Amino acid sequence: MTVRAEMRQRFLQKARRVVLKLGSAVLTAAEGLDIPLIQRLVAEIATLRDTGRQLVMVSSGAVAAGLKKLGFKERPPGMPQVQALAAAGQSTLIQTYEEAFAAHGLKVAQILLTHDDLAARKRFVNAKNTLFTLLQWGVIPIINENDTVATHELKFGDNDNLAALIANLVEADVLILLTNTEGLYERDPREDPAAPLLTFIETSDPRLDTAAGKRPTELGRGGMITKIQAVKKAAAGGIPSLIANGRRPGVLGEIFGGREVGTFFLPQAQKLTARQYWLAYNVSPEGAILVDAGAREALVRQHKSLLPAGVLEVFGGFRKGAPVSLVDPEGQTFAVGLSNYSSRDINRIKGKQTQEIAQALGHTDVDEVIHRDNLVIFPEIGRASCRERV
């Protein structure tokens, strides 16, 4: 056994809490939900439960189920129509799971979330407490995005990224994304059938930028691009991930039985704290601040706070305490933080020295536009700066 295979097996053997994401490409067939496949996967999950592991599921399939239920041949383009299909299909989806798990003596609970539920700190904590209670009771939570009410600004965008956020929320030991391919290939196998499968990779590996391809699945919203985004988010929280073929019989038993199936993603050695992770990935920025090269250097390499002198421009209207993105002169978003000043006040003090704040505003609350304790550098930026120093 190779060193990488041993490392992978070690992570999986000690994993007691598992977040399992099932995509539309796995759960659906031409006629709607693939009931026999769902029943087979549920049996595998029940077997995994018997080993003492806790399972949290993130499941797509509501829209696909709605298509079948209401007699549509294809997904309509309009948001109200898709949301209506999700509303009709969600009950079918959860009923299918309810019956499948009941055959193994297991109970499930349905949880529907919007991005705002995890961005608001109080609701984030409430969701966490609910999930932990269900797990303590031996109930399997089945989570989906609340497509029926979610507008663009409230959406996670796809269930891959939702699964990564849930993995962090429940402090999972591993995130497994099941799709209809064997894993991540070095190049899109639909465009290059000879592309090799990557069985073990770090999320800082530059091959990830070219491996995903650009085409989503027919019913899904993301494809491999969003799965790579998800495994990077999980890695930032210190959680390993695995992408594997959910249509492969016995896939979960193979994964936890030591077979080298799918693609395993190594987590970051230095993970973000819970607060940093929430700020980096759960919060939706209300504006942006363009900083100069010197300020970026001080923030990324020297772990300093953002001072008014380093601010070049402010975008959007936001209040004091709002989350904002930080953008460098090349247009790259490299951090997010909580602003000590409103956008209006920052426009009045940008480029000034700290001793000039009182004169510009008539008062001085704090010297920093964003304090270091309320700022997080995106992990891939931090790793890049470390490589540059070496």
Side-chain angles (χ1 to χ4, degrees):
M1 184 180 292
T2 66
V3 173
R4 288 185 168 189
E6 288 179 356
M7 187 181 299
R8 166 192 168 123
Q9 189 171 356
R10 189 163 60 248
F11 272 110
L12 292 170
Q13 284 180 341
K14 69 180 183 181
R16 310 320 299 167
R17 185 173 297 147
V18 180
V19 171
L20 179 66
K21 187 265 178 175
L22 303 175
S24 296
V26 175
L27 299 174
T28 60
E31 66 278 5
L33 291 177
D34 191 335
I35 304 300
L37 185 138
I38 291 174
Q39 292 172 339
R40 188 259 295 167
L41 279 173
V42 166
E44 293 185 28
I45 293 169
T47 299
L48 203 56
R49 268 287 307 271
D50 290 340
T51 65
R53 291 180 169 90
Q54 295 179 329
L55 271 296
V56 177
M57 293 173 57
V58 176
S59 177
S60 303
V63 173
L67 287 169
K68 169 66 175 177
K69 185 175 184 177
L70 300 183
F72 283 74
K73 299 299 182 184
E74 59 184 21
R75 181 172 176 151
M79 177 62 73
Q81 290 81 9
V82 172
Q83 289 179 316
L85 287 173
Q90 185 64 36
S91 59
T92 300
L93 178 66
I94 200 66
Q95 182 181 1
T96 301
Y97 279 126
E98 188 98 43
E99 294 173 352
F101 277 104
H104 300 274
L106 296 173
K107 294 180 173 62
V108 301
Q110 174 182 255
I111 298 177
L112 300 177
L113 296 171
T114 65
H115 191 279
D116 200 40
D117 293 320
L118 299 187
R121 190 66 186 175
K122 184 175 181 180
R123 288 153 73 178
F124 175 93
V125 172
N126 287 342
K128 186 185 187 83
N129 291 338
T130 298
L131 284 165
F132 279 160
T133 300
L134 289 170
L135 292 173
Q136 184 180 5
W137 288 350
V139 178
I140 297 178
I142 300 179
I143 303 168
N144 197 357
E145 181 165 24
N146 195 344
D147 290 306
T148 303
V149 300
T151 56
H152 175 73
E153 60 271 17
L154 296 182
K155 294 179 75 66
F156 296 99
D158 58 88
N159 275 344
D160 295 318
N161 280 286
L162 170 58
L165 297 180
I166 293 298
N168 176 72
L169 179 70
V170 301
E171 301 169 15
D173 299 308
V174 66
L175 168 65
I176 297 177
L177 305 174
L178 294 185
T179 184
N180 62 344
T181 66
E182 293 302 319
L184 179 66
Y185 291 81
E186 195 164 303
R187 295 172 297 280
D188 191 334
R190 294 171 296 184
E191 299 172 3
D192 181 4
L197 178 70
L198 300 171
T199 58
F200 186 104
I201 192 168
E202 296 184 44
T203 52
S204 58
D205 194 311
R207 288 179 294 176
L208 292 186
D209 297 330
T210 58
K214 301 187 183 302
R215 290 187 288 168
T217 60
E218 183 178 350
L219 287 171
R221 286 183 292 209
M224 198 58 72
I225 292 175
T226 58
K227 288 174 180 55
I228 290 178
Q229 292 172 348
V231 300
K232 285 184 175 182
K233 287 180 180 179
I239 302 170
S241 301
L242 197 142
I243 298 176
N245 189 348
R247 304 191 72 85
R248 176 184 178 123
V251 62
L252 293 179
E254 290 182 329
I255 288 171
F256 288 95
R259 292 283 301 277
E260 204 167 2
V261 298
T263 304
F264 182 83
F265 297 83
L266 195 67
Q268 284 181 206
Q270 186 175 1
K271 67 178 184 178
L272 298 178
T273 66
R275 177 176 171 79
Q276 287 174 327
Y277 193 97
W278 174 78
L279 189 56
Y281 297 120
N282 290 88
V283 170
S284 297
E286 298 177 16
I289 298 175
L290 177 65
V291 305
D292 62 28
R296 185 192 190 281
E297 175 88 1
L299 294 169
V300 174
R301 297 198 182 203
Q302 301 171 32
H303 308 290
K304 300 290 187 179
S305 299
L306 177 63
L307 302 177
V311 176
L312 296 175
E313 194 61 69
V314 183
F315 303 97
F318 52 86
R319 69 194 188 287
K320 176 182 177 180
V324 295
S325 299
L326 296 187
V327 183
D328 65 21
E330 277 69 53
Q332 182 181 33
T333 300
F334 67 94
V336 65
L338 301 179
S339 177
N340 287 325
Y341 291 95
S342 68
S343 56
R344 180 180 178 182
D345 284 348
I346 297 174
N347 267 317
R348 295 165 66 185
I349 62 175
K350 65 184 180 184
K352 297 184 181 298
Q353 300 299 315
T354 54
Q355 61 268 25
E356 299 176 285
I357 295 176
Q359 181 179 357
L361 298 181
H363 62 88
T364 301
D365 293 336
V366 291
D367 290 342
E368 304 88 359
V369 174
I370 299 177
H371 192 277
R372 180 66 208 181
D373 292 343
N374 292 322
L375 175 72
V376 57
I377 307 297
F378 291 130
E380 54 270 27
I381 303 298
R383 287 197 300 271
S385 68
C386 289
R387 289 195 297 272
E388 288 167 8
R389 286 197 294 271
V390 174

